[in-house]
Amino acid sequence: MSRFSNYLKNLLSENNEPIASVARSIHAERTSIHKALSDERVLPYRVVHALANHFYLSPEERREFFRTYDMLIQGEDAWHNRAAVGDLLNHLSSLHFQPSLLHNNLSAPLSSFVVSEGLIEGEYAVRNMIYTLLRQEVHENMNAVFRLFLPSGIDLSAIFMQLWLGGADFHVEQFFWFPTSAHNDYSQNIWMLRQIIPLCLIARDSYHPYYFYEHPSYLSINPLNYYIITPRYLILIAQDQSSAYVHRSNQMIRLYSDYFQELKTNCEPLAFSSSDMTAVLEKYSSFTNPNGSFTLMSQPCFGRYYTPELIAKYLKCGDDCRSSLYEAATRRFSLVQNIDKDFYTVFSENGLQYFAETGILLEMPPEYASAIDPDDRRLLLSQLREDIASGTVIGLIARPSYLHLPDYLFLYADPDGNTIFDTTANYIYGVYYCDIHISEKSICHAFRDFFRSLPGSQLVYSQEDTLRILDETIKKCGGA
């Protein structure tokens, strides 16, 4: 029995109301509800919504009721993957990268805590030791290099972000492992991006994540299977973080460093970073696929409407770069215009209004592109509205109570297994400061699946509401 059918059965039992009476009240077929209780039939969303209202479900009960329904519709593995992507986006939206919010005074006196060789027990003691040791190593070793293989319960992204934003100069290489099984729940892999993406954005070329596949049972053989290598220490860590052993032996540090370097040659980089705009546009061109494009950012993707004339009109860089950028942009957007199916653009209402009011394209560096004038804004929005209405473009506005879009990021995915994160003009260091390319197949599959699951879901507005918002926006565009 599915979670949904069990939940529905409990609702009927707790309320002690005959199915026939419920069916009459919500204008549904009695037999459809009977068959839903045994998973012989899937109720349409309208009926599920009516049932939630009929039984006066509280917000928490309603959330659980629809969660079990979504799991039934999508399958549990797919639901977990999509939920993980949504949680990742919400998490990234909550991050702040202002240095003033993450103080780190590297010249301040360090703690008197002394890291000595030997066994450390207790999760708090282990974590405190790691944080203190890392800070000491950054303070006392210029261009320190840290090599990490961490258990899932230890996330050092906050302390690394604090140090990098505070001006520290160090490098991190980190291994992540993905389980090997026929199971299609990739939510654990997506969860890792909560650490990886912020660190890539802040450190760029100073942070290098790698991944490998491993059977989970192998990692339980050694009680201290995880480790941190610093210039002066080797820390072996238990999977549950209850204990750790600190080595200060140069031989042990060298042994693990050599092992790390050897393993790295047999691992794949999880993310590549670049900040050259022309190179980024060329990469997008190489990945553009006529079979689909999936984009997500606060503003709509207008790429299919950028003509050579429009590009020439608003490109404003100097002669030394204008030619190469113009060629790269026209090549990229001419390919976008040939995408004939699965063209998704997910955006926010606030981002839409910002474009309508200012004409500023957040995915373009302000030194390279002028603001779009009101007439061209209305033209772009009208073309987008027409394509959404006809189904040529799947344009989706995120429902802010369920899905938050990080306004400093642009996300692109293609059908061939590429997922790319780029910074926008809202990022503290500007557009294309960091271009993160991920090609690990389970993660890319989860992102494409997430996009395809959005139409009709509670995470986005309906097509009718989306068109209404666009109509209102076009009327007010540029003060018209």
Side-chain angles (χ1 to χ4, degrees):
M1 298 292 288
S2 69
R3 295 173 188 260
F4 176 77
S5 60
N6 285 331
Y7 200 110
L8 180 57
K9 187 178 295 183
N10 289 336
L11 277 180
L12 293 166
S13 175
E14 290 169 3
N15 288 273
N16 196 27
E17 185 175 359
I19 292 178
S21 173
V22 174
R24 283 195 300 271
S25 175
I26 65 173
H27 306 289
E29 295 180 2
R30 176 179 56 81
T31 55
S32 66
I33 297 177
H34 269 295
K35 291 185 177 182
L37 292 172
S38 57
D39 291 328
E40 296 179 51
R41 179 177 297 183
V42 176
L43 295 174
Y45 180 82
R46 178 194 65 78
V47 173
V48 177
H49 187 270
L51 284 167
N53 290 337
H54 176 82
F55 289 119
Y56 301 105
L57 297 185
S58 69
E60 188 59 38
E61 291 169 332
R62 192 182 187 93
R63 188 178 298 110
E64 180 63 15
F65 187 47
F66 282 105
R67 185 180 78 90
T68 61
Y69 177 71
D70 288 340
M71 292 176 76
L72 174 66
I73 295 292
Q74 301 172 14
E76 290 202 24
D77 287 348
W79 183 88
H80 283 296
N81 294 337
R82 293 165 185 171
V85 173
D87 288 344
L88 171 68
L89 294 172
N90 289 333
H91 170 72
L92 294 174
S93 298
S94 70
L95 296 181
H96 300 281
F97 294 95
Q98 299 294 338
S100 60
L101 299 178
L102 291 168
H103 295 291
N104 176 57
N105 186 353
L106 292 175
S107 63
L110 292 173
S111 165
S112 59
F113 179 86
V114 177
V115 181
S116 57
E117 184 164 304
L119 183 67
I120 296 176
E121 296 185 281
E123 185 175 348
Y124 175 78
V126 169
R127 289 175 180 270
N128 187 47
M129 176 271 297
I130 291 173
Y131 297 156
T132 303
L133 185 147
L134 289 175
R135 190 165 182 266
Q136 286 179 336
E137 290 288 80
V138 168
H139 186 270
E140 298 179 14
N141 295 275
M142 185 67 67
N143 297 317
V145 177
F146 301 109
R147 297 182 174 94
L148 316 174
F149 179 45
L150 299 175
S152 58
I154 294 183
D155 179 358
L156 299 180
S157 57
I159 186 172
F160 284 146
M161 284 176 63
Q162 186 181 54
L163 290 167
W164 270 314
L165 285 169
D169 189 6
F170 63 98
H171 298 265
V172 174
E173 297 180 331
Q174 185 169 4
F175 286 146
F176 293 88
W177 71 276
F178 295 154
T180 56
S181 70
H183 205 239
N184 292 319
D185 183 351
Y186 308 130
S187 55
Q188 174 186 323
N189 304 356
I190 300 162
W191 183 265
M192 295 177 187
L193 296 182
R194 294 165 68 101
Q195 303 177 43
I196 294 167
I197 292 174
L199 292 180
C200 286
L201 293 176
I202 289 297
R204 201 159 51 178
D205 293 333
S206 293
Y207 179 68
H208 299 278
Y210 300 86
Y211 72 93
F212 61 90
Y213 296 101
E214 189 59 79
H215 194 281
S217 61
Y218 173 78
L219 297 173
S220 63
I221 295 175
N222 190 328
L224 298 174
N225 204 58
Y226 299 90
Y227 52 86
I228 298 174
I229 307 169
T230 80
R232 298 181 299 175
Y233 298 92
L234 167 67
I235 309 169
L236 304 180
I237 309 167
Q239 184 168 357
D240 61 1
Q241 305 106 62
S242 62
S243 59
Y245 196 96
V246 179
H247 290 275
R248 300 190 65 174
S249 161
N250 289 333
Q251 290 94 332
M252 288 293 292
I253 295 171
R254 191 181 311 114
L255 175 67
Y256 270 76
S257 295
D258 292 344
Y259 172 73
F260 189 98
Q261 291 298 108
E262 181 181 354
L263 183 58
K264 192 170 71 173
T265 62
N266 294 303
C267 292
E268 294 289 339
L270 188 51
F272 301 87
S273 296
S274 171
S275 59
D276 181 88
M277 184 176 173
T278 302
V280 169
L281 287 172
E282 293 288 1
K283 182 173 72 173
Y284 275 118
S285 294
S286 68
F287 293 146
T288 300
N289 188 316
N291 294 321
S293 171
F294 308 88
T295 62
L296 179 150
M297 64 178 254
S298 61
Q299 293 182 336
C301 174
F302 295 114
R304 64 189 294 114
Y305 314 120
Y306 293 155
T307 63
E309 294 75 21
L310 200 65
I311 294 170
K313 181 177 180 180
Y314 292 105
L315 191 64
K316 68 172 187 179
C317 61
D319 292 339
D320 55 335
C321 72
R322 183 179 177 88
S323 176
S324 61
L325 272 181
Y326 175 79
E327 291 177 5
T330 52
R331 182 163 50 252
R332 156 68 175 157
F333 296 121
S334 66
L335 293 171
V336 171
Q337 290 157 17
N338 291 325
I339 298 174
D340 56 6
K341 63 180 179 179
D342 276 356
F343 191 99
Y344 283 68
T345 173
V346 183
F347 52 98
S348 71
E349 191 169 358
N350 286 341
L352 177 69
Q353 299 303 327
Y354 180 77
F355 171 75
E357 293 169 6
T358 68
I360 295 173
L361 295 168
L362 294 177
E363 82 273 24
M364 295 297 293
E367 64 270 26
Y368 293 150
S370 304
I372 309 297
D373 66 38
D375 286 341
D376 286 331
R377 289 178 227 168
R378 283 190 288 273
L379 176 62
L380 291 172
L381 289 169
S382 297
Q383 290 173 313
L384 175 66
R385 194 256 182 232
E386 181 180 342
D387 279 351
I388 292 175
S390 68
T392 305
V393 167
I394 302 171
L396 305 164
I397 299 179
R399 195 185 296 272
S401 54
Y402 291 97
L403 180 62
H404 300 279
L405 308 185
D407 65 359
Y408 60 89
L409 282 180
F410 169 83
L411 167 61
Y412 168 81
D414 70 14
D416 289 339
N418 294 286
T419 301
I420 302 171
F421 292 85
D422 273 314
T423 57
T424 72
N426 284 332
Y427 185 57
I428 180 176
Y429 299 122
V431 184
Y432 297 122
Y433 174 80
C434 185
D435 167 81
I436 305 168
H437 174 205
I438 299 172
S439 57
E440 197 282 322
K441 60 183 180 180
S442 69
I443 292 176
C444 294
H445 173 83
F447 274 100
R448 293 195 307 274
D449 192 45
F450 174 78
F451 275 99
R452 288 182 171 134
S453 73
L454 286 175
S457 78
Q458 62 183 355
L459 298 182
V460 297
Y461 288 122
S462 66
Q463 185 189 55
E464 180 182 11
D465 286 341
T466 297
L467 294 175
R468 176 183 55 79
I469 292 170
L470 280 168
D471 286 337
E472 294 172 355
T473 304
I474 292 168
K475 288 179 182 178
K476 297 184 294 185
C477 184

